[in-house]
Structure formats: structure tokens, C-alpha cells
């Protein structure tokens, strides 16, 4: 659980998970305090919660990917449940996670907005923009999804390590779960959505979203570009850059500078050399089309 300036929301999340667990004695929490401001550091709650919780304080802002990886390294359990610091858990979530998790399977859990009747059932990838759209209906008989739910991704520790964790070449926020999910598919894992675990997630109010995006936009654009550079066929990379340059002209120069600084092309070469499946395999697996309905080229 990464937590930056989350304060007592962390304790409320832990209390919810413990209260809803079928076997709370078998649950541990690892919280990474991602350089929170004074007065907004994670507050765990009562003594029972504190006994089950490890809080790791980072003196620098790691971002979502590095914070999750750090938490995973400190966790002792066989199964990792990646979530956010402002969530609430459905009854028996831990029992269901144990039952449905297998060595080659990632669970994507249902995300609920507590302020409405909206639910998200994993996400689908949008190319070449390299964003996602929520699946707003439950999965069919074959419940595979492109991208797991970022507030509820469940998998065995051994699989997490085999995939390589989250990409720490990305910056701070956005894109971590989509990139991890595509890399997981290319590694040979499957992502299966379940409606048997439901996580209520606090979504930011509009004014918070506006302020957040204003401060993080260059990083977000970079992360999309890095994601696409790592996985897209070369013929689509220029189109991806063009789309972002048109939409975010004041941020594209900084994003491209970060792309070069953080070794995006080297990352692409590493994945091509080590993963058993290429992106074309992923395209065929899901009959993936681009964002305006055209076939995705294989090269």
C-alpha cells in the first residue's frame, strides 16, 4: 500500500480489511509512506492493526511503482494484494483471494465508487495513446481482461517477482498498472477478473483531480510514452508521440527529455530479449484494435 499524504485514511483502510477478512490473523499490511508531508503521514490505528502493519518511511518521493515494489520486498506472505490507501474491502476478500489465485494467474478485483452505483471490472488498453478505459460491465464466460484494477491486483509473490514488479523507470503516477499488466501477459501470466471481491475506492473530487493533473502532467505523458516505447510496434510509436504532442504541447518536450534520460529504448530491447511473447501476440490474443477501430500492425 503506497501512501502519500493519506493520514488517517490508511488506518481506516486497514481496519476495513481486518474487519472484512475471514482469517485476519493471516493478513499483514505493508505501508510505504512515500515522503508524506508532516501531519499527513500514515496513521495506522489501534494496537491490533499496528501489530500486523509495517510502515516504511521514504525520505524521497518514490512514486507508485517503486513504492509498491518496496512494499512487496518487505511483505512475508505468499500472496500479495496490491491496493490503495483509501479503500474498503468486501466480506471474505482474503478467503476468495486464496481460493482463486494460482501460480500463473493475476486477479483483477471489482472496484466500486461508494458515492454512486458505478463499478469497474478491470480495464481495456487504448492504443496508441497508451491509456485505459474501465470495463463497466461484468466479464463474460471468459473473464480475462487486458489490465488489472490498480486498487485491487492480487497475485502470488513468485509471479510478481517473475514479472519483475512495477516499472521503476516510470515517474511518480499513472501508467504503472497497464504496463505491468501487458508485461504480465507477455510473460505468460493471465489476468482474470473476479466479481467475488469488491473494493470501494475513494475517487478524487473534481477540484483535486484538476490540481493533481496540473502538477503531474509531464510525468503522466512521459509514462504513456515509455509504456508505448516498451511495447508498441515501431510503426505506432511515432503516432503515439504525435497524439501526445497535439494534446499536451506544453508538456511534450519535457516528457521526451525524460524518455531519453530514463533509457526507454534500452528497456524495449531488454523486454524483447527476455519475454516469451511479443506485443503482436497480445494483439492477437485479444483481437486488439487501435482507438479508432483499425487493426494494430504487428511491426
Amino acid at each position: 500500500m503506497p501512501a502519500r499524504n493519506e493520514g488517517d485514511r490508511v488506518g481506516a483502510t486497514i481496519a476495513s480489511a481486518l474487519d472484512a477478512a475471514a482469517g485476519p490473523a493471516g493478513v499483514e499490511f505493508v505501508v510505504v509512506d512515500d515522503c508524506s508531508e508532516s501531519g499527513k503521514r500514515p496513521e495506522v490505528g489501534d494496537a491490533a492493526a499496528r501489530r500486523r502493519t509495517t510502515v516504511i518511511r521514504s525520505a524521497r518521493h518514490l512514486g507508485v511503482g517503486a513504492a509498491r515494489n518496496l512494499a512487496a520486498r518487505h511483505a512475508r506472505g505468499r500472496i500479495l494484494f496490491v491496493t490503495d490507501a483509501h479503500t474498503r474491502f468486501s466480506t471474505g476478500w482474503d478467503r476468495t483471494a486464496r481460493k482463486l489465485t494460482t501460480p500463473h494467474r493475476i486477479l483483477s478485483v471489482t472496484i466500486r465508487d461508494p458515492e454512486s452505483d458505478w463499478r469497474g471490472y478491470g480495464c481495456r488498453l487504448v492504443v496508441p495513446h497508451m491509456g485505459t478505459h474501465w470495463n463497466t460491465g461484468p466479464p463474460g464466460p471468459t473473464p480475462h481482461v487486458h489490465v488489472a484494477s490498480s486498487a485491487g491486483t492480487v497475485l502470488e509473490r513468485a509471479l510478481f517477482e517473475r514479472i519483475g514488479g512495477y516499472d521503476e523507470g516510470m515517474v511518480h503516477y499513472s501508467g504503472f498498472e497497464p504496463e505491468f499488466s501487458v508485461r504480465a501477459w507477455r510473460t505468460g501470466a493471465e489476468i482474470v477478473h473476479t466479481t467475488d471481491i469488491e473494493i470501494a475506492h475513494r475517487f478524487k473530487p473534481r477540484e483535486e483531480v484538476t490540481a493533481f493533473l496540473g502538477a503531474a502532467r509531464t510525468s503522466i505523458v512521459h509514462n504513456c510514452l515509455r509504456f508505448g516505447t516498451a511495447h508498441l510496434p515501431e510503426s505506432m510509436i511515432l503516432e503515439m508521440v504525435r497524439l501526445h504532442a497535439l494534446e499536451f504541447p506544453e508538456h511534450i518536450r519535457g516528457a521526451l527529455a525524460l524518455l531519453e534520460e530514463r533509457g526507454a529504448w534500452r528497456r524495449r530491447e531488454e523486454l524483447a530479449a527476455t519475454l516469451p511473447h511479443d506485443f503482436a501476440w497480445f494483439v492477437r490474443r485479444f483481437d486488439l484494435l487501435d482507438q479508432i477501430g483499425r487493426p494494430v500492425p504487428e511491426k
Side-chain angles (χ1 to χ4, degrees):
M1 185 190 305
R4 179 172 168 82
N5 297 333
E6 294 285 357
D8 60 5
R9 291 183 188 135
V10 172
T13 295
I14 291 172
S16 168
L18 285 173
D19 289 346
V27 179
E28 65 168 345
F29 303 91
V30 183
V31 179
V32 173
D33 176 4
D34 191 7
C35 198
S36 297
E37 298 170 16
S38 178
K40 298 181 180 180
R41 294 178 181 177
E43 298 176 15
V44 173
D46 63 21
R50 290 196 295 273
R51 283 196 299 272
R52 293 184 172 88
T53 304
T54 300
V55 178
I56 304 159
R57 165 79 176 164
S58 175
R60 65 182 181 89
H61 184 14
L62 298 173
V64 171
R68 288 176 176 173
N69 291 345
L70 180 59
R73 289 195 296 272
H74 282 79
R76 295 168 296 174
R78 178 178 63 87
I79 295 174
L80 304 178
F81 194 119
V82 180
T83 191
D84 290 342
H86 37 257
T87 55
R88 300 293 182 272
F89 288 68
S90 60
T91 301
W93 62 273
D94 56 326
R95 178 179 56 229
T96 304
R98 287 194 302 270
K99 181 177 70 175
L100 297 181
T101 304
T102 70
H104 302 289
R105 174 184 292 169
I106 297 171
L107 293 183
S108 164
V109 313
T110 301
I111 304 300
R112 176 172 63 85
D113 179 3
E115 303 299 322
S116 70
D117 59 0
W118 182 91
R119 283 169 171 76
Y121 303 91
C123 296
R124 62 189 185 277
L125 184 64
V126 179
V127 297
H129 187 277
M130 305 316 287
T132 59
H133 290 318
W134 284 100
N135 299 318
T136 55
T142 305
H144 291 121
V145 294
H146 299 174
V147 175
S149 307
S150 61
T153 296
V154 189
L155 72 168
E156 291 191 0
R157 167 196 297 282
L159 178 56
F160 183 86
E161 293 171 351
R162 181 157 63 89
I163 295 167
Y166 292 92
D167 180 8
E168 296 190 17
M170 289 185 166
V171 183
H172 294 162
Y173 303 109
S174 184
F176 289 94
E177 202 67 48
E179 195 283 328
F180 177 82
S181 294
V182 170
R183 185 157 34 92
W185 279 108
R186 290 184 59 187
T187 299
E190 63 171 0
I191 303 176
V192 173
H193 190 80
T194 179
T195 57
D196 293 337
I197 302 175
E198 195 169 270
I199 296 293
H201 181 275
R202 175 191 179 268
F203 289 91
K204 291 181 175 69
R206 186 181 301 275
E207 60 275 13
E208 279 189 44
V209 171
T210 300
F212 169 78
L213 291 178
R217 180 61 73 187
T218 299
S219 297
I220 292 170
V221 173
H222 162 265
N223 289 356
C224 289
L225 298 183
R226 181 177 171 89
F227 179 17
T229 300
H231 296 282
L232 283 177
E234 285 193 22
S235 59
M236 295 193 82
I237 292 175
L238 185 58
E239 176 66 7
M240 171 189 66
V241 173
R242 187 185 72 84
L243 288 172
H244 283 279
L246 288 171
E247 189 171 1
F248 305 110
E250 67 277 24
H251 298 281
I252 191 67
R253 186 186 297 271
L256 288 171
L258 282 172
L259 197 70
E260 184 68 22
E261 290 169 14
R262 301 177 80 84
W265 287 98
R266 183 171 63 251
R267 174 69 168 173
R268 176 186 181 87
E269 292 168 359
E270 290 170 356
L271 297 183
T274 57
L275 298 183
H277 300 297
D278 59 13
F279 189 74
W281 175 90
F282 178 83
V283 169
R284 293 190 296 270
R285 171 67 181 74
F286 287 103
D287 296 323
L288 187 67
L289 301 175
D290 75 6
Q291 57 206 62
I292 60 172
R294 299 173 302 187
V296 175
E298 293 200 4
K299 296 183 179 180

